[in-house]
Amino acid sequence: MKSLRFILKSITLYAAFSAAFSILGIFPIFEQFLPKPYLIGNPLESSGISIHHIAGHVVFGLMVGVASMRIRYLAIAGIFPIALDADHLIQFLNLEAIPHMAHSILFGVVSIPLMMFFVGKKDYLLGAVCFSAVLAHVSFDILLGGTTTSFPLFMPIINKMITFQGYDWITFLLIAIAIVGITRIMTKNHTIEYKPKQA
């Protein structure tokens, strides 16, 4: 029961943070740090959602999660890459926005302390999965994109969409797996289990 609560809470919060992070792209005060916003359109039409899209992200996430050698982290690692697409919800507002806002290193970094604060303090493996989920998601998007795929990956350092192609997906996936695997090794004897807060 504790593991199920951990999984559901983690997935819900990760999706919520992804959606909230995408809102930053509609504020003019950040325009010098971000790519130029535009009217993206209905995500159900412009994002190409399909069973292959969903299954692929889950499989890539699971490959990363295996490195944790823990069922609960394997579960969230499989779902986080899909939850990350909550940043497309901003498109339903029919406003000029920046696509894939949460598909960025910045979101990966920001998600770590947020998730660790609200879900499991000092749960470094959770933090590693949060960050690696971004890399796993981008990895599959590049593979699925075929020719070229662009993301605001290095904002705000580089305020442009960065294009990836070909076998770039392998690099992202291997880095994601390495991050979780190394974190697992380093915290093997210091894992702090998730404990629900007492009412």
Side-chain angles (χ1 to χ4, degrees), residues 55-89:
H57 282 105
V58 171
V59 169
F60 270 46
L62 290 174
M63 285 193 285
V64 173
V66 167
S68 72
M69 300 179 68
R70 299 284 299 279
I71 295 297
R72 62 169 62 186
Y73 298 105
L74 175 65
I76 63 173
I79 303 300
F80 274 10
I82 289 297
L84 189 73
D85 268 340
D87 67 353
H88 289 296
L89 295 176

Short mmCIF file of all heavy atoms in Angstrom, two decimals, residues 55-89:
data_model
loop_
_atom_site.label_atom_id
_atom_site.label_comp_id
_atom_site.label_asym_id
_atom_site.label_seq_id
_atom_site.Cartn_x
_atom_site.Cartn_y
_atom_site.Cartn_z
N ALA A 55 3.35 3.99 -25.75
CA ALA A 55 4.08 2.76 -25.43
C ALA A 55 5.59 2.97 -25.50
O ALA A 55 6.34 2.47 -24.65
CB ALA A 55 3.66 1.64 -26.37
N GLY A 56 6.03 3.74 -26.48
CA GLY A 56 7.46 3.99 -26.64
C GLY A 56 8.06 4.72 -25.47
O GLY A 56 9.14 4.36 -24.98
N HIS A 57 7.35 5.74 -24.98
CA HIS A 57 7.85 6.49 -23.84
C HIS A 57 7.88 5.62 -22.58
O HIS A 57 8.81 5.71 -21.77
CB HIS A 57 6.99 7.73 -23.59
CG HIS A 57 7.29 8.86 -24.53
ND1 HIS A 57 6.46 9.20 -25.56
CD2 HIS A 57 8.35 9.69 -24.60
CE1 HIS A 57 6.98 10.22 -26.22
NE2 HIS A 57 8.13 10.54 -25.66
N VAL A 58 6.87 4.78 -22.43
CA VAL A 58 6.83 3.89 -21.27
C VAL A 58 8.01 2.91 -21.32
O VAL A 58 8.70 2.70 -20.32
CB VAL A 58 5.49 3.11 -21.21
CG1 VAL A 58 5.56 2.03 -20.14
CG2 VAL A 58 4.34 4.06 -20.93
N VAL A 59 8.24 2.32 -22.49
CA VAL A 59 9.33 1.35 -22.63
C VAL A 59 10.69 1.99 -22.36
O VAL A 59 11.53 1.43 -21.64
CB VAL A 59 9.33 0.72 -24.05
CG1 VAL A 59 10.61 -0.08 -24.29
CG2 VAL A 59 8.11 -0.17 -24.22
N PHE A 60 10.91 3.19 -22.91
CA PHE A 60 12.18 3.89 -22.66
C PHE A 60 12.33 4.22 -21.18
O PHE A 60 13.42 4.13 -20.62
CB PHE A 60 12.27 5.15 -23.52
CG PHE A 60 12.89 4.92 -24.87
CD1 PHE A 60 12.50 3.84 -25.66
CD2 PHE A 60 13.87 5.76 -25.36
CE1 PHE A 60 13.07 3.62 -26.91
CE2 PHE A 60 14.46 5.55 -26.61
CZ PHE A 60 14.06 4.46 -27.38
N GLY A 61 11.23 4.62 -20.56
CA GLY A 61 11.27 4.92 -19.13
C GLY A 61 11.58 3.68 -18.31
O GLY A 61 12.36 3.74 -17.35
N LEU A 62 11.00 2.56 -18.69
CA LEU A 62 11.25 1.31 -17.98
C LEU A 62 12.71 0.88 -18.11
O LEU A 62 13.30 0.34 -17.17
CB LEU A 62 10.33 0.20 -18.50
CG LEU A 62 8.84 0.35 -18.14
CD1 LEU A 62 8.03 -0.74 -18.84
CD2 LEU A 62 8.63 0.29 -16.63
N MET A 63 13.29 1.11 -19.29
CA MET A 63 14.71 0.77 -19.48
C MET A 63 15.58 1.56 -18.52
O MET A 63 16.57 1.04 -17.99
CB MET A 63 15.12 1.04 -20.93
CG MET A 63 14.61 0.00 -21.92
SD MET A 63 15.41 0.11 -23.54
CE MET A 63 14.60 1.55 -24.21
N VAL A 64 15.20 2.80 -18.28
CA VAL A 64 15.93 3.62 -17.32
C VAL A 64 15.65 3.13 -15.90
O VAL A 64 16.56 3.02 -15.07
CB VAL A 64 15.52 5.10 -17.45
CG1 VAL A 64 16.14 5.94 -16.33
CG2 VAL A 64 15.94 5.65 -18.82
N GLY A 65 14.41 2.81 -15.63
CA GLY A 65 14.01 2.38 -14.29
C GLY A 65 14.64 1.08 -13.84
O GLY A 65 14.84 0.86 -12.64
N VAL A 66 14.96 0.20 -14.78
CA VAL A 66 15.59 -1.07 -14.43
C VAL A 66 16.89 -0.85 -13.66
O VAL A 66 17.25 -1.62 -12.77
CB VAL A 66 15.87 -1.90 -15.71
CG1 VAL A 66 16.81 -3.06 -15.42
CG2 VAL A 66 14.56 -2.43 -16.29
N ALA A 67 17.58 0.24 -13.98
CA ALA A 67 18.86 0.54 -13.32
C ALA A 67 18.68 0.82 -11.83
O ALA A 67 19.64 0.75 -11.06
CB ALA A 67 19.54 1.73 -13.99
N SER A 68 17.46 1.13 -11.41
CA SER A 68 17.21 1.41 -9.99
C SER A 68 17.13 0.12 -9.18
O SER A 68 17.32 0.14 -7.96
CB SER A 68 15.91 2.20 -9.81
OG SER A 68 14.78 1.35 -10.06
N MET A 69 16.80 -0.97 -9.84
CA MET A 69 16.66 -2.28 -9.20
C MET A 69 15.62 -2.26 -8.08
O MET A 69 15.73 -2.99 -7.10
CB MET A 69 18.02 -2.77 -8.68
CG MET A 69 19.06 -2.93 -9.76
SD MET A 69 20.67 -3.49 -9.15
CE MET A 69 20.25 -5.17 -8.64
N ARG A 70 14.63 -1.40 -8.24
CA ARG A 70 13.55 -1.28 -7.25
C ARG A 70 12.23 -1.15 -8.00
O ARG A 70 12.12 -0.35 -8.93
CB ARG A 70 13.74 -0.06 -6.36
CG ARG A 70 15.02 -0.06 -5.53
CD ARG A 70 14.94 -0.98 -4.34
NE ARG A 70 13.88 -0.57 -3.44
CZ ARG A 70 14.00 0.42 -2.54
NH1 ARG A 70 15.13 1.12 -2.47
NH2 ARG A 70 13.01 0.71 -1.75
N ILE A 71 11.23 -1.93 -7.60
CA ILE A 71 9.94 -1.95 -8.30
C ILE A 71 9.27 -0.58 -8.32
O ILE A 71 8.75 -0.14 -9.34
CB ILE A 71 8.99 -2.99 -7.66
CG1 ILE A 71 9.54 -4.41 -7.85
CG2 ILE A 71 7.60 -2.87 -8.27
CD1 ILE A 71 9.65 -4.82 -9.30
N ARG A 72 9.27 0.11 -7.18
CA ARG A 72 8.58 1.40 -7.11
C ARG A 72 9.20 2.43 -8.04
O ARG A 72 8.50 3.20 -8.69
CB ARG A 72 8.55 1.93 -5.67
CG ARG A 72 9.93 2.21 -5.08
CD ARG A 72 9.82 2.97 -3.77
NE ARG A 72 9.11 2.19 -2.77
CZ ARG A 72 8.78 2.65 -1.57
NH1 ARG A 72 9.09 3.89 -1.24
NH2 ARG A 72 8.16 1.90 -0.69
N TYR A 73 10.52 2.43 -8.16
CA TYR A 73 11.18 3.38 -9.04
C TYR A 73 11.07 2.95 -10.51
O TYR A 73 11.04 3.79 -11.41
CB TYR A 73 12.65 3.55 -8.63
CG TYR A 73 12.78 4.10 -7.24
CD1 TYR A 73 13.16 3.28 -6.18
CD2 TYR A 73 12.48 5.44 -6.96
CE1 TYR A 73 13.25 3.78 -4.89
CE2 TYR A 73 12.57 5.94 -5.68
CZ TYR A 73 12.95 5.10 -4.65
OH TYR A 73 13.02 5.60 -3.36
N LEU A 74 11.01 1.65 -10.73
CA LEU A 74 10.77 1.13 -12.07
C LEU A 74 9.40 1.60 -12.56
O LEU A 74 9.24 2.03 -13.71
CB LEU A 74 10.82 -0.40 -12.07
CG LEU A 74 10.47 -1.10 -13.40
CD1 LEU A 74 11.50 -0.78 -14.47
CD2 LEU A 74 10.38 -2.62 -13.18
N ALA A 75 8.40 1.56 -11.66
CA ALA A 75 7.04 1.96 -12.02
C ALA A 75 6.96 3.44 -12.38
O ALA A 75 6.39 3.82 -13.41
CB ALA A 75 6.08 1.65 -10.87
N ILE A 76 7.54 4.29 -11.54
CA ILE A 76 7.44 5.73 -11.83
C ILE A 76 8.31 6.11 -13.02
O ILE A 76 7.97 7.02 -13.78
CB ILE A 76 7.78 6.60 -10.60
CG1 ILE A 76 9.22 6.40 -10.13
CG2 ILE A 76 6.79 6.35 -9.47
CD1 ILE A 76 9.65 7.36 -9.03
N ALA A 77 9.43 5.40 -13.20
CA ALA A 77 10.30 5.69 -14.34
C ALA A 77 9.57 5.39 -15.65
O ALA A 77 9.81 6.04 -16.67
CB ALA A 77 11.59 4.87 -14.25
N GLY A 78 8.68 4.39 -15.63
CA GLY A 78 7.92 4.06 -16.82
C GLY A 78 6.83 5.06 -17.14
O GLY A 78 6.50 5.27 -18.32
N ILE A 79 6.29 5.69 -16.12
CA ILE A 79 5.17 6.62 -16.32
C ILE A 79 5.61 8.08 -16.41
O ILE A 79 4.97 8.89 -17.09
CB ILE A 79 4.12 6.47 -15.19
CG1 ILE A 79 3.62 5.02 -15.13
CG2 ILE A 79 2.95 7.41 -15.40
CD1 ILE A 79 2.95 4.55 -16.42
N PHE A 80 6.69 8.45 -15.74
CA PHE A 80 7.14 9.85 -15.77
C PHE A 80 7.31 10.42 -17.18
O PHE A 80 6.95 11.58 -17.42
CB PHE A 80 8.45 9.99 -14.99
CG PHE A 80 8.27 10.20 -13.51
CD1 PHE A 80 7.03 10.04 -12.90
CD2 PHE A 80 9.34 10.54 -12.70
CE1 PHE A 80 6.86 10.23 -11.55
CE2 PHE A 80 9.19 10.73 -11.33
CZ PHE A 80 7.95 10.57 -10.75
N PRO A 81 7.89 9.67 -18.13
CA PRO A 81 8.04 10.25 -19.47
C PRO A 81 6.70 10.62 -20.11
O PRO A 81 6.63 11.57 -20.90
CB PRO A 81 8.74 9.12 -20.25
CG PRO A 81 9.53 8.41 -19.21
CD PRO A 81 8.63 8.40 -18.01
N ILE A 82 5.64 9.88 -19.79
CA ILE A 82 4.31 10.24 -20.29
C ILE A 82 3.75 11.42 -19.51
O ILE A 82 3.16 12.34 -20.07
CB ILE A 82 3.35 9.04 -20.19
CG1 ILE A 82 3.74 7.98 -21.22
CG2 ILE A 82 1.91 9.47 -20.42
CD1 ILE A 82 3.64 8.43 -22.65
N ALA A 83 3.95 11.40 -18.19
CA ALA A 83 3.49 12.50 -17.34
C ALA A 83 4.12 13.82 -17.76
O ALA A 83 3.52 14.89 -17.63
CB ALA A 83 3.80 12.21 -15.87
N LEU A 84 5.34 13.75 -18.28
CA LEU A 84 6.05 14.95 -18.72
C LEU A 84 5.28 15.69 -19.81
O LEU A 84 5.36 16.91 -19.92
CB LEU A 84 7.44 14.56 -19.23
CG LEU A 84 8.40 15.72 -19.54
CD1 LEU A 84 8.89 16.35 -18.25
CD2 LEU A 84 9.59 15.22 -20.35
N ASP A 85 4.52 14.95 -20.60
CA ASP A 85 3.75 15.57 -21.69
C ASP A 85 2.59 16.42 -21.19
O ASP A 85 1.85 17.00 -21.99
CB ASP A 85 3.23 14.51 -22.66
CG ASP A 85 4.21 14.26 -23.81
OD1 ASP A 85 5.06 15.13 -24.06
OD2 ASP A 85 4.11 13.20 -24.46
N ALA A 86 2.44 16.52 -19.88
CA ALA A 86 1.42 17.42 -19.32
C ALA A 86 1.74 18.86 -19.69
O ALA A 86 0.88 19.74 -19.60
CB ALA A 86 1.34 17.27 -17.80
N ASP A 87 2.98 19.11 -20.12
CA ASP A 87 3.34 20.48 -20.52
C ASP A 87 2.65 20.87 -21.83
O ASP A 87 2.69 22.03 -22.24
CB ASP A 87 4.86 20.67 -20.63
CG ASP A 87 5.51 19.87 -21.75
OD1 ASP A 87 4.82 19.06 -22.39
OD2 ASP A 87 6.72 20.06 -21.98
N HIS A 88 1.97 19.92 -22.48
CA HIS A 88 1.20 20.23 -23.68
C HIS A 88 -0.17 20.83 -23.34
O HIS A 88 -0.85 21.37 -24.23
CB HIS A 88 0.98 18.98 -24.54
CG HIS A 88 2.21 18.49 -25.22
ND1 HIS A 88 2.87 19.21 -26.18
CD2 HIS A 88 2.91 17.32 -25.08
CE1 HIS A 88 3.92 18.52 -26.61
NE2 HIS A 88 3.97 17.38 -25.95
N LEU A 89 -0.60 20.70 -22.08
CA LEU A 89 -1.93 21.16 -21.69
C LEU A 89 -2.10 22.67 -21.90
O LEU A 89 -3.22 23.15 -22.12
CB LEU A 89 -2.21 20.81 -20.22
CG LEU A 89 -2.29 19.31 -19.91
CD1 LEU A 89 -2.47 19.09 -18.41
CD2 LEU A 89 -3.43 18.66 -20.69
#
